């Protein structure tokens, strides 16, 4: 039915299956939209946030998706600036994932603020000394860049490409992509950093506060570094999930391995820097405020020293060691383990730098306060995930996202896209039709 | 657009000295603050994590078993932190929309309700939990609108508020002074509601830089301390207590430095709030 829109030379599942898949994730997204409307119409009393947790699940989600979306700027930087040309085979997907992550972050921010209609005040009454101002500016600009990077992909759709204007536009945009990639990398270095600065500058909160260089706390540099290190792991993880769901190989191993090798070394150097930072903070910065390391990890029902170990050892050292060795990258299981642990690692880092900062009592007569999000917060946090799956579903079906797909999955005729898949397929497990050769 | 931020250099630095030996924990300061500043409340105020108390009285204990048990009540308004350089309060420095401001004229940290868009970054920055978010729109019991303070705007849902040192009283006093061709205020011309309401006279308010104001001398009491001084927040609320465990409860000390701490206690057990 929609075969005219499907790229030439590739095979896609039946429209019915696709509709089922979209319907399932669409329903989840609708649930999120409902929760979002509740928050907008009734206010943030719909959440379990309180005056101790002014920053909670949403801010974590923001920081996490932006770190995970870091694969877009870093692979763009590697391809266009450093000249790693093989990465052209994954860059489209990295851009798409980045686009999803950043649009999600902006959406979550729009739900998170108490007066959404005044959101523009951050630009209009900008306080240039605030990390959040820098975040807002760079994030919006970079989202613009990602949109520019995503547009030529949309224009490559079989039907859009037939329009000469679109064809030329997309061609010209491709030609100039290096400029956008460079701009994107520049903006990313700043907003990833300022996101790190968000907690790093809080000198009233000894758990988050870090010393630094001039106006930038160490977390500024650590966040940029970690986004460059962990972002590509997420790009690869999503690629691998997509391959599993579609039952096809979409990107050649050498491309994945190259990206993971660079990511691994970034991770390795990052985690060394992170350990030094943690050591300095635990032995100099926090003690100067009267805190010992263990104060941050005791006398409460949840935050133990395990979370620090989970972040640094399990989510940092282990994946780094796997990814810097060729054997590790080539071993399917080890590689999968590494990218999953890495994604967990960065999410935990962002979690503690938001939630644990809020949880730790600072006044001696104050106490630890725990928090669990309300269903509205959870639904609105799942919303971007569902939205991401939907956008990936549409983009994969109708746009030539993976340049190596045709070569890796040769088919005899290009009309099969219309053909019904055989047998029942469980929605969510099988995005597109599972071809035998996958 | 930025005109209002013209830094008027003045030597005034309003602050408080609260004598904890005198505080009985009666809560009159809290009540007067709520009434003076049109602070909204909920039908059920039992959840203290989302109810607004610009002035909050904490109950501290030395955590010792009977008969050594001691308690102390500690009123905590916004500390109007000055930071390490003037105006670098934890909260003011982070607000992305310049919706909270440090007055170079008075040292008062103000909140611009119509500009705050509710990101709550300032709340994350404040270690004293002096900032409160309006999780709900204010609802006044029937007829109470009539008795709201006309000098203080009510706040809407979705924004942050906090103690303003009854800034409207300062404005009113200054207006009167200007009308009378004066540029300075007498000490008693500008006093906060809590100061006036405290039946035991525990709170003294005034210009910390003005030698003729009581706070000028009181803050020099050897038993005076400020909350969390070590963080560099540089607050303008001084507390006085003759009890060492109370003074020690004002800041964090590592176990290894307890013996060398400024307010070295004989035997210290950490204070707990109940
Ligand atoms: S006590 Fe909190 S709200 Fe008041 S000035 Fe200090 S940081 Fe800001
Ligand atoms: S909540 Fe309001 S005052 Fe606080 S940082 Fe955000 S915009 Fe500024």
């Amino acid at each position: 039915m929609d075969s005219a829109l499907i790229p030439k030379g590739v095979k896609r599942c039946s429209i019915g299956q696709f509709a089922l898949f979209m319907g399932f994730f669409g329903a989840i997204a609708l649930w999120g939209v409902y929760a979002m409307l509740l928050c907008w119409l009734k206010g943030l009393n719909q959440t379990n946030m309180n005056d101790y947790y002014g920053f909670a699940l949403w801010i974590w989600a923001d920081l996490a998706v932006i770190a995970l979306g870091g694969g877009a700027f870093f692979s763009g930087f590697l391809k266009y600036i450093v000249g790693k040309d093989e990465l052209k085979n994954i860059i489209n997907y990295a851009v798409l994932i980045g686009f999803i992550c950043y649009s999600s972050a902006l959406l979550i921010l729009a739900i998170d603020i108490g007066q959404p209609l005044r959101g523009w005040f951050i630009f209009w009454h900008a306080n240039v000394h605030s990390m959040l101002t820098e975040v807002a500016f760079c994030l919006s600009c970079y989202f613009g860049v990602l949109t520019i990077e995503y547009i030529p992909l949309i224009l490559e759709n079989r039907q859009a490409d037939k329009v000469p204007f679109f064809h030329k536009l997309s061609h010209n945009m491709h030609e100039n992509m290096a400029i956008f990639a460079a701009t994107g990398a520049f903006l990313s270095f700043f907003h990833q950093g300022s996101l790190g600065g968000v907690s790093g500058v809080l000198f009233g909160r000894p758990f988050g506060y870090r010393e630094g260089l001039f106006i930038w706390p160490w977390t500024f540099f650590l966040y940029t570094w970690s986004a460059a290190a962990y972002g590509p792991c997420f790009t690869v993880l999503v690629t691998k999930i997509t391959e599993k769901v579609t039952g096809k190989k979409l990107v050649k191993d050498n491309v994945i391995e190259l990206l993971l090798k660079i990511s691994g070394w970034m991770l390795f150097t990052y985690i060394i820097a992170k350990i030094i930072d943690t050591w300095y903070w635990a032995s100099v910065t926090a003690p100067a405020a009267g805190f010992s390391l263990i104060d941050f990890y005791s006398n409460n029902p949840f935050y133990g020293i395990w979370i620090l170990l989970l972040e640094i050892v399990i989510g940092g050292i282990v994946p780094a060691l796997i990814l810097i060795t060729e054997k590790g990258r080539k071993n399917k299981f080890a590689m999968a383990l590494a990218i999953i642990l890495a994604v967990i690692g960065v999410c935990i880092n962002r979690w503690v730098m938001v939630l644990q900062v809020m949880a730790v009592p600072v006044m001696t007569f104050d106490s630890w306060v725990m928090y669990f999000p309300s269903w509205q917060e959870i639904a609105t946090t799942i919303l971007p995930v569902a939205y991401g799956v939907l956008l990936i579903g549409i983009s994969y079906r109708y746009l030539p996202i993976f340049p190596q797909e045709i070569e890796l999955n040769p088919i005899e005729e290009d009309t099969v896209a219309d053909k019904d898949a055989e047998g029942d397929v469980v929605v969510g497990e099988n995005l597109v039709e599972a071809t035998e050769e996958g | 657009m930025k005109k209002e931020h013209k830094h008027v250099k003045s030597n005034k630095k309003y602050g408080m000295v609260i004598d904890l030996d005198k505080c009985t924990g009666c809560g009159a300061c809290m009540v007067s603050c709520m009434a003076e500043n049109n602070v909204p409340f909920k039908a059920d105020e039992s959840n203290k994590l989302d109810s607004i108390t610009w002035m909050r009285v904490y109950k501290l204990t030395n955590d010792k078993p009977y008969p050594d048990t001691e308690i102390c009540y500690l009123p905590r308004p916004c500390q109007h932190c000055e930071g390490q350089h003037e105006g670098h309060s934890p909260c003011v420095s982070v607000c992305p929309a310049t919706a909270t401001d440090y007055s170079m004229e008075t040292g008062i940290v103000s909140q611009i309700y119509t500009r705050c868009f509710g990101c709550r970054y300032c709340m994350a920055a404040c270690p004293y939990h002096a900032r409160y978010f309006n999780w709900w729109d204010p609802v006044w019991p029937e007829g109470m609108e009539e008795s709201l303070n006309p000098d203080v705007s009510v706040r809407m849902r979705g924004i942050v508020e906090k103690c303003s040192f009854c800034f409207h009283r300062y404005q009113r006093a200054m207006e009167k002074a200007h009308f009378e061709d004066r540029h300075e205020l007498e000490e008693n011309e500008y006093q906060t509601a809590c100061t006036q309401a405290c039946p035991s006279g525990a709170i003294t308010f005034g210009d910390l830089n003005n030698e003729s104001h009581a706070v000028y001398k009181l803050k020099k009491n050897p038993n005076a301390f400020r909350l969390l001084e070590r963080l560099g927040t540089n607050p303008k609320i001084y507390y006085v207590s003759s009890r060492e465990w109370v003074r020690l409860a004002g800041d964090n000390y590592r176990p290894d430095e307890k013996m060398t701490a400024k307010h070295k206690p004989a035997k210290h057990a950490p204070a707990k709030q109940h």
Side-chain angles (χ1 to χ4, degrees):
Chain A
M1 196 169 113
D2 58 348
S3 54
L5 288 166
I6 291 172
K8 272 215 170 82
V10 298
K11 201 171 173 189
R12 295 290 182 259
C13 70
S14 72
I15 185 82
Q17 249 180 342
F18 182 63
L20 249 176
F21 172 83
M22 297 298 280
F24 179 76
F25 285 97
I28 297 177
L30 272 181
W31 177 55
V33 169
Y34 172 62
M36 176 178 83
L37 291 175
L38 278 181
C39 293
W40 274 340
L41 297 174
K42 294 193 172 182
L44 297 184
N45 49 50
Q46 300 294 303
T47 70
N48 273 353
M49 288 192 281
N50 54 49
D51 293 327
Y52 274 57
Y53 280 95
F55 277 5
L57 184 74
W58 284 332
I59 296 288
W60 164 75
D62 267 328
L63 297 195
V65 292
I66 289 173
L68 297 172
F73 92 86
F74 194 59
S75 30
F77 173 77
L78 290 173
K79 178 182 178 312
Y80 294 104
I81 319 280
V82 181
K84 298 277 174 203
D85 202 48
E86 299 97 304
L87 296 183
K88 67 173 184 278
N89 297 310
I90 199 166
I91 193 89
N92 289 348
Y93 209 37
V95 164
L96 174 58
I97 294 167
F99 179 86
I100 292 167
C101 287
Y102 277 78
S103 46
S104 302
L106 288 171
L107 177 72
I108 296 176
L109 273 180
I111 310 172
D112 193 25
I113 55 180
Q115 281 290 329
L117 295 179
R118 295 183 188 170
W120 55 282
F121 285 11
I122 200 167
F123 302 108
W124 193 255
H125 298 294
N127 167 15
V128 291
H129 304 292
S130 171
M131 285 290 165
L132 220 51
T133 306
E134 201 171 308
V135 170
F137 273 91
C138 291
L139 206 121
S140 314
C141 293
Y142 184 52
F143 178 63
V145 170
L146 279 169
T147 312
I148 293 173
E149 290 182 342
Y150 183 42
I151 288 175
L153 255 173
I154 302 176
L155 298 179
E156 274 175 21
N157 170 273
R158 213 159 107 191
Q159 297 307 322
D161 196 52
K162 283 183 187 157
V163 182
F165 172 73
F166 287 162
H167 178 81
K168 287 199 185 103
L169 182 64
S170 114
H171 177 77
N172 286 330
M173 285 177 93
H174 268 305
E175 294 276 284
N176 296 308
M177 214 34 94
I179 299 169
F180 297 122
T183 317
F186 176 76
L187 289 170
S188 293
F189 281 123
F190 275 95
H191 74 246
Q192 295 283 1
S194 9
L195 278 171
V198 166
S199 55
V201 296
L202 300 180
F203 60 94
R205 298 286 196 157
F207 185 79
Y209 178 65
R210 295 292 189 280
E211 278 142 324
L213 200 64
F214 307 117
I215 56 163
W216 299 291
W218 295 126
T219 44
F220 184 98
F221 307 99
L222 288 173
Y223 266 47
T224 305
W225 205 334
S226 58
Y230 289 101
C233 287
F234 186 66
T235 308
V236 173
L237 180 66
V238 179
T239 307
K240 288 287 160 197
I241 294 173
T242 315
E243 286 185 345
K244 262 261 160 328
V245 173
T246 57
K248 286 181 193 167
K249 186 142 193 66
L250 298 167
V251 181
K252 285 186 183 165
D253 286 341
N254 67 323
V255 180
I256 300 278
E257 279 165 26
L258 172 69
L259 192 57
L260 286 182
K261 183 179 172 185
I262 299 169
S263 173
W265 280 106
M266 289 297 291
L267 203 53
F268 186 73
T269 46
Y270 161 75
I271 211 70
I272 292 172
K274 171 75 191 168
I275 290 168
I276 296 172
D277 169 72
T278 308
W279 171 78
Y280 186 79
W281 161 75
S283 56
V284 179
T285 317
F291 287 85
S292 319
L293 181 69
I294 202 66
D295 292 336
F296 301 124
Y297 297 99
S298 50
N299 291 327
N300 79 88
F302 182 71
Y303 294 105
I305 203 84
W306 63 268
I307 202 159
L308 184 66
L309 296 177
L310 183 63
E311 178 200 338
I312 292 184
V313 181
I314 313 284
I317 297 174
V318 173
L321 290 180
I322 295 176
L323 294 180
I324 55 172
T325 55
E326 199 175 344
K327 243 171 129 186
R329 289 192 299 273
K330 289 221 183 295
N331 180 321
K332 275 204 169 61
F333 174 76
M335 188 265 272
L337 183 73
I339 54 178
I340 291 170
L341 289 182
V343 168
I344 294 175
V346 73
C347 287
I348 289 189
N349 171 263
R350 280 9 181 204
W351 179 274
V352 295
M353 288 311 267
V354 176
L355 277 293
Q356 202 173 344
V357 173
M358 301 296 111
V360 175
V362 187
M363 291 188 290
T364 59
F365 43 88
D366 218 338
S367 38
W368 284 82
V369 174
M370 294 292 121
Y371 145 94
F372 194 83
S374 70
W375 75 262
Q376 290 90 332
E377 285 173 273
I378 296 173
T380 40
T381 306
I382 291 176
L383 166 64
V385 180
Y387 146 77
V389 176
L390 293 176
L391 197 58
I392 287 179
I394 298 174
S395 302
Y396 171 73
R397 189 170 175 88
Y398 298 121
L399 309 175
I401 299 276
F402 297 102
Q404 295 176 320
E405 185 185 352
I406 301 179
E407 184 192 338
L408 287 167
N409 306 274
I411 46 171
E412 300 83 49
E413 31 170 2
D414 60 4
T415 49
V416 277
D418 267 341
K419 217 169 66 181
D420 273 349
E422 279 170 25
D424 284 333
V425 176
V426 183
V427 174
E429 244 181 17
N430 207 335
L431 165 56
V432 215
E433 194 265 346
T435 52
E436 299 308 318
E437 71 264 30
Chain B
M1 186 172 112
K2 287 272 177 272
K3 269 224 177 81
E4 68 265 38
H5 289 290
K6 197 172 63 182
H7 289 172
V8 190
K9 196 71 198 160
S10 127
N11 219 15
K12 270 186 277 195
K13 217 165 91 172
Y14 282 104
M16 276 177 187
V17 179
I18 304 179
D19 191 336
L20 300 179
D21 292 340
K22 288 185 185 166
C23 176
T24 61
C26 71
C29 53
M30 295 175 67
V31 176
S32 64
C33 172
M34 306 267 302
E36 176 74 18
N37 292 294
N38 301 334
V39 176
F41 48 87
K42 300 169 289 169
D44 176 1
E45 282 279 300
S46 52
N47 181 1
K48 296 299 173 210
L49 292 176
D50 61 14
S51 58
I52 305 180
T53 43
W54 288 14
M55 170 64 110
R56 176 166 175 193
V57 178
Y58 284 85
K59 182 181 171 189
L60 281 54
T61 151
N62 64 348
D63 228 19
K64 286 191 183 163
Y66 177 83
D68 298 322
T69 316
E70 282 186 31
I71 54 163
C72 170
Y73 293 99
L74 184 142
R76 188 249 42 215
C78 164
Q79 309 285 306
H80 294 270
C81 310
E82 188 177 352
Q84 286 308 294
H85 51 90
E86 209 177 15
H88 196 71
S89 331
C91 55
V92 172
S93 56
V94 299
C95 173
T98 335
T100 180
D101 187 48
Y102 187 90
S103 162
M104 297 298 171
E105 190 189 326
T106 59
I108 294 175
V109 175
S110 64
Q111 182 73 7
I112 309 167
Y113 307 129
T114 45
R115 193 183 282 176
C116 169
F117 66 95
C119 70
R120 305 180 300 284
Y121 192 13
C122 53
M123 293 170 67
C126 173
Y128 304 100
H129 292 292
R131 291 184 160 266
Y132 296 89
F133 187 70
N134 282 274
W135 301 99
W136 290 268
D137 267 320
V139 182
W140 312 104
E142 208 187 318
M144 198 176 154
E145 287 99 336
E146 312 293 327
S147 62
L148 292 177
N149 184 348
D151 284 345
V152 181
S153 58
V154 289
R155 283 75 62 185
M156 66 201 299
R157 185 179 85 197
I159 62 164
V160 164
E161 60 179 70
K162 65 160 200 76
C163 154
S164 66
F165 269 173
C166 295
F167 191 70
H168 55 285
R169 290 184 170 209
Y170 174 76
Q171 286 173 311
R172 212 192 297 145
M174 281 306 276
E175 264 172 35
K176 183 164 175 279
H178 282 144
F179 185 71
E180 292 166 2
D181 238 7
R182 287 181 291 130
H183 294 288
E184 293 303 326
L185 296 178
E186 293 299 321
E187 186 177 7
N188 61 2
E189 273 186 298
Y190 168 38
Q191 288 293 319
T192 62
C194 53
T195 309
Q196 292 179 332
C198 177
S200 51
I203 306 176
T204 314
F205 178 78
D207 180 359
L208 297 166
N209 282 349
N210 191 330
E211 289 178 30
S212 67
H213 285 204
V215 286
Y216 184 83
K217 278 179 223 77
L218 289 174
K219 71 170 196 240
K220 295 189 172 159
N221 184 321
N223 284 338
F225 66 98
R226 294 179 294 169
L227 289 182
L228 305 174
E229 273 182 80
R230 304 183 78 176
L231 298 180
T233 49
N234 200 0
K236 289 199 216 48
I237 309 290
Y238 289 78
Y239 293 91
V240 175
S241 175
S242 55
R243 292 181 283 181
E244 277 173 327
W245 73 265
V246 174
R247 295 197 298 272
L248 204 78
D251 224 321
N252 292 285
Y253 300 97
R254 302 184 312 275
D256 59 301
E257 61 179 352
K258 285 272 157 68
M259 303 319 289
T260 55
K262 195 167 88 188
H263 306 292
K264 192 180 115 186
K267 263 186 239 114
H268 169 72
K272 283 243 173 74
Q273 185 232 328
H274 288 287

